[in-house]
Amino acid sequence: MEESRNVVTAKLLDYISPQTGVEYCRKFGITSTLYPYLSLSLGTFDVSLLELVSAYSTFANKGVRIRPYFISRIEDREGTVLEEAKVEAEYVISPQIAYLISSMLQGVILRGTGAAASSLGIPLAGKTGTTSKYTDAWFIGFSPSLCAGVWVGNDTKITLGDRQAGAVAALPA
């Protein structure tokens, strides 16, 4: 995972079945169109940045997925709360599995494709991503208290340029 060697993820998806992989994606809040193909393990389907950040935040939350919301509360000028978001949370994976995945994603920052983020000097985990022909690049990173994502691409599938992978085009932001 640290070096984005995708053979292992493809073998893992084959082992659990692509349909089970899609079901896990749904549990993590991904609602984009996905098909139960082995290429799912390579990230061949378009998924929004919001969905990815929401899914990755589950690892930092020890297996609990929080449904994203944009406004936490609305107050009037006296500070009276007029509206407040209802936080929707559900256990998606066990804390033990979340810990193991977070540990692997820490390796991405310490020794892998996300090593540039280690210069921040805080505990981080994350993953870079790149689509074929360098049309999209992304990085999702998290600390124990914050999860953030960066996507670089275009509305149409045109290349960002030679070797504009996630570690080069998205991670620096």
Side-chain angles (χ1 to χ4, degrees):
M1 184 176 284
E2 292 176 6
E3 295 295 330
S4 291
R5 308 265 188 239
N6 297 321
V7 172
V8 175
T9 56
K11 286 182 178 182
L12 179 61
L13 183 62
D14 189 34
Y15 178 77
I16 67 169
S17 89
Q19 183 58 46
T20 301
V22 170
E23 290 165 12
Y24 268 103
C25 289
R26 298 292 179 231
K27 285 182 181 183
F28 279 86
I30 295 174
T31 60
S32 295
T33 302
L34 303 174
Y35 296 103
Y37 303 153
L38 280 177
S39 64
L40 176 68
S41 67
L42 306 175
T44 55
F45 299 102
D46 290 334
V47 176
S48 76
L49 183 61
L50 177 63
E51 289 176 319
L52 283 174
V53 171
S54 173
Y56 273 76
S57 69
T58 303
F59 305 128
N61 288 333
K62 300 178 182 150
V64 177
R65 179 179 174 271
I66 308 292
R67 180 181 288 261
Y69 54 93
F70 292 100
I71 299 173
S72 56
R73 72 174 172 263
I74 301 171
E75 300 177 359
D76 66 14
R77 63 179 163 215
E78 283 85 36
T80 304
V81 177
L82 303 174
E83 294 280 336
E84 192 159 13
K86 178 183 166 200
V87 178
E88 297 177 40
E90 65 178 314
Y91 275 94
V92 174
I93 55 174
S94 72
Q96 295 86 353
I97 298 295
Y99 173 83
L100 290 172
I101 294 171
S102 293
S103 179
M104 287 190 292
L105 294 171
Q106 285 173 341
V108 173
I109 303 300
L110 295 174
R111 298 173 294 278
T113 59
S118 66
S119 67
L120 295 173
I122 57 175
L124 294 173
K127 186 71 181 86
T128 60
T130 310
T131 57
S132 59
K133 299 181 183 173
Y134 302 102
T135 59
D136 295 280
W138 56 266
F139 174 74
I140 310 294
F142 60 91
S143 70
S145 62
L146 179 69
C147 186
V150 175
W151 167 76
V152 178
N154 296 288
D155 288 340
T156 58
K157 293 291 181 185
I158 59 172
T159 186
L160 297 171
D162 188 41
R163 303 201 185 280
Q164 291 300 301
V168 174
L171 176 60

